[in-house]
PDB file of all heavy atoms in Angstrom:
ATOM      1  N   VAL A  86      37.191  29.156  30.402  1.00  0.00           N
ATOM      2  CA  VAL A  86      37.308  29.042  31.889  1.00  0.00           C
ATOM      3  C   VAL A  86      36.690  30.228  32.528  1.00  0.00           C
ATOM      4  O   VAL A  86      35.996  30.274  33.565  1.00  0.00           O
ATOM      5  CB  VAL A  86      38.605  28.660  32.231  1.00  0.00           C
ATOM      6  CG1 VAL A  86      38.765  28.753  33.915  1.00  0.00           C
ATOM      7  CG2 VAL A  86      39.011  27.271  31.922  1.00  0.00           C
ATOM      8  N   ALA A  87      37.040  31.369  31.905  1.00  0.00           N
ATOM      9  CA  ALA A  87      36.562  32.713  32.484  1.00  0.00           C
ATOM     10  C   ALA A  87      35.064  32.846  32.443  1.00  0.00           C
ATOM     11  O   ALA A  87      34.457  33.249  33.411  1.00  0.00           O
ATOM     12  CB  ALA A  87      37.238  33.815  31.784  1.00  0.00           C
ATOM     13  N   ARG A  88      34.545  32.412  31.333  1.00  0.00           N
ATOM     14  CA  ARG A  88      33.093  32.592  31.049  1.00  0.00           C
ATOM     15  C   ARG A  88      32.335  31.411  32.068  1.00  0.00           C
ATOM     16  O   ARG A  88      31.364  31.696  32.501  1.00  0.00           O
ATOM     17  CB  ARG A  88      32.629  32.182  29.639  1.00  0.00           C
ATOM     18  CG  ARG A  88      33.012  33.293  28.682  1.00  0.00           C
ATOM     19  CD  ARG A  88      31.736  34.310  28.583  1.00  0.00           C
ATOM     20  NE  ARG A  88      30.792  33.583  27.740  1.00  0.00           N
ATOM     21  CZ  ARG A  88      29.448  34.113  27.679  1.00  0.00           C
ATOM     22  NH1 ARG A  88      29.205  35.170  28.488  1.00  0.00           N
ATOM     23  NH2 ARG A  88      28.571  33.485  26.843  1.00  0.00           N
ATOM     24  N   GLY A  89      33.047  30.271  32.181  1.00  0.00           N
ATOM     25  CA  GLY A  89      32.499  29.304  33.050  1.00  0.00           C
ATOM     26  C   GLY A  89      32.365  29.710  34.598  1.00  0.00           C
ATOM     27  O   GLY A  89      31.353  29.601  35.134  1.00  0.00           O
ATOM     28  N   ASN A  90      33.440  30.424  34.848  1.00  0.00           N
ATOM     29  CA  ASN A  90      33.488  30.941  36.289  1.00  0.00           C
ATOM     30  C   ASN A  90      32.453  31.930  36.468  1.00  0.00           C
ATOM     31  O   ASN A  90      31.911  32.012  37.617  1.00  0.00           O
ATOM     32  CB  ASN A  90      34.913  31.386  36.657  1.00  0.00           C
ATOM     33  CG  ASN A  90      36.024  30.348  36.764  1.00  0.00           C
ATOM     34  OD1 ASN A  90      35.665  29.109  36.958  1.00  0.00           O
ATOM     35  ND2 ASN A  90      37.339  30.674  36.557  1.00  0.00           N
ATOM     36  N   GLN A  91      32.321  32.724  35.584  1.00  0.00           N
ATOM     37  CA  GLN A  91      31.275  33.864  35.686  1.00  0.00           C
ATOM     38  C   GLN A  91      29.845  33.306  35.816  1.00  0.00           C
ATOM     39  O   GLN A  91      29.079  33.956  36.564  1.00  0.00           O
ATOM     40  CB  GLN A  91      31.420  34.653  34.445  1.00  0.00           C
ATOM     41  CG  GLN A  91      30.428  35.895  34.432  1.00  0.00           C
ATOM     42  CD  GLN A  91      30.548  36.752  33.152  1.00  0.00           C
ATOM     43  OE1 GLN A  91      31.412  36.464  32.235  1.00  0.00           O
ATOM     44  NE2 GLN A  91      29.807  37.799  32.964  1.00  0.00           N
ATOM     45  N   HIS A  92      29.703  32.223  35.177  1.00  0.00           N
ATOM     46  CA  HIS A  92      28.207  31.717  35.180  1.00  0.00           C
ATOM     47  C   HIS A  92      28.085  30.350  36.029  1.00  0.00           C
ATOM     48  O   HIS A  92      27.010  29.772  35.912  1.00  0.00           O
ATOM     49  CB  HIS A  92      27.830  31.475  33.686  1.00  0.00           C
ATOM     50  CG  HIS A  92      27.683  32.725  32.833  1.00  0.00           C
ATOM     51  ND1 HIS A  92      26.547  33.427  32.918  1.00  0.00           N
ATOM     52  CD2 HIS A  92      28.535  33.329  32.076  1.00  0.00           C
ATOM     53  CE1 HIS A  92      26.696  34.492  32.007  1.00  0.00           C
ATOM     54  NE2 HIS A  92      27.920  34.403  31.557  1.00  0.00           N
ATOM     55  N   GLY A  93      29.084  30.005  36.681  1.00  0.00           N
ATOM     56  CA  GLY A  93      28.925  28.799  37.562  1.00  0.00           C
ATOM     57  C   GLY A  93      28.917  27.510  36.737  1.00  0.00           C
ATOM     58  O   GLY A  93      28.268  26.525  37.093  1.00  0.00           O
ATOM     59  N   VAL A  94      29.486  27.488  35.600  1.00  0.00           N
ATOM     60  CA  VAL A  94      29.618  26.277  34.717  1.00  0.00           C
ATOM     61  C   VAL A  94      30.993  25.682  34.631  1.00  0.00           C
ATOM     62  O   VAL A  94      31.993  26.311  34.194  1.00  0.00           O
ATOM     63  CB  VAL A  94      29.192  26.628  33.246  1.00  0.00           C
ATOM     64  CG1 VAL A  94      29.349  25.449  32.294  1.00  0.00           C
ATOM     65  CG2 VAL A  94      27.729  27.175  33.297  1.00  0.00           C
ATOM     66  N   PRO A  95      31.275  24.473  35.305  1.00  0.00           N
ATOM     67  CA  PRO A  95      32.566  23.904  35.254  1.00  0.00           C
ATOM     68  C   PRO A  95      33.078  23.565  33.930  1.00  0.00           C
ATOM     69  O   PRO A  95      32.188  23.090  33.043  1.00  0.00           O
ATOM     70  CB  PRO A  95      32.331  22.716  36.107  1.00  0.00           C
ATOM     71  CG  PRO A  95      31.095  22.969  37.013  1.00  0.00           C
ATOM     72  CD  PRO A  95      30.296  23.762  36.112  1.00  0.00           C
ATOM     73  N   ILE A  96      34.304  23.855  33.625  1.00  0.00           N
ATOM     74  CA  ILE A  96      34.900  23.394  32.368  1.00  0.00           C
ATOM     75  C   ILE A  96      35.984  22.310  32.545  1.00  0.00           C
ATOM     76  O   ILE A  96      36.760  22.395  33.406  1.00  0.00           O
ATOM     77  CB  ILE A  96      35.700  24.632  31.777  1.00  0.00           C
ATOM     78  CG1 ILE A  96      34.780  25.990  31.792  1.00  0.00           C
ATOM     79  CG2 ILE A  96      36.206  24.405  30.349  1.00  0.00           C
ATOM     80  CD1 ILE A  96      33.557  25.848  31.022  1.00  0.00           C
ATOM     81  N   LEU A  97      35.735  21.236  31.719  1.00  0.00           N
ATOM     82  CA  LEU A  97      36.615  20.064  31.795  1.00  0.00           C
ATOM     83  C   LEU A  97      37.406  19.962  30.533  1.00  0.00           C
ATOM     84  O   LEU A  97      36.888  20.408  29.454  1.00  0.00           O
ATOM     85  CB  LEU A  97      35.803  18.831  31.933  1.00  0.00           C
ATOM     86  CG  LEU A  97      35.106  18.612  33.330  1.00  0.00           C
ATOM     87  CD1 LEU A  97      33.825  19.460  33.413  1.00  0.00           C
ATOM     88  CD2 LEU A  97      34.830  17.023  33.443  1.00  0.00           C
ATOM     89  N   MET A  98      38.754  19.489  30.606  1.00  0.00           N
ATOM     90  CA  MET A  98      39.461  19.386  29.396  1.00  0.00           C
ATOM     91  C   MET A  98      39.172  17.837  28.894  1.00  0.00           C
ATOM     92  O   MET A  98      39.423  16.887  29.768  1.00  0.00           O
ATOM     93  CB  MET A  98      40.928  19.450  29.779  1.00  0.00           C
ATOM     94  CG  MET A  98      41.823  19.275  28.490  1.00  0.00           C
ATOM     95  SD  MET A  98      41.506  20.649  27.296  1.00  0.00           S
ATOM     96  CE  MET A  98      42.734  20.214  26.131  1.00  0.00           C
ATOM     97  N   SER A  99      38.823  17.714  27.688  1.00  0.00           N
ATOM     98  CA  SER A  99      38.598  16.326  27.095  1.00  0.00           C
ATOM     99  C   SER A  99      39.970  15.875  26.533  1.00  0.00           C
ATOM    100  O   SER A  99      40.496  16.573  25.563  1.00  0.00           O
ATOM    101  CB  SER A  99      37.429  16.342  26.200  1.00  0.00           C
ATOM    102  OG  SER A  99      37.206  15.019  25.762  1.00  0.00           O
TER     103      SER A  99
END
Side-chain angles (χ1 to χ4, degrees):
V86 169
R88 287 269 286 166
N90 289 339
Q91 181 182 358
H92 295 274
V94 177
I96 309 300
L97 289 77
M98 186 64 178
S99 187

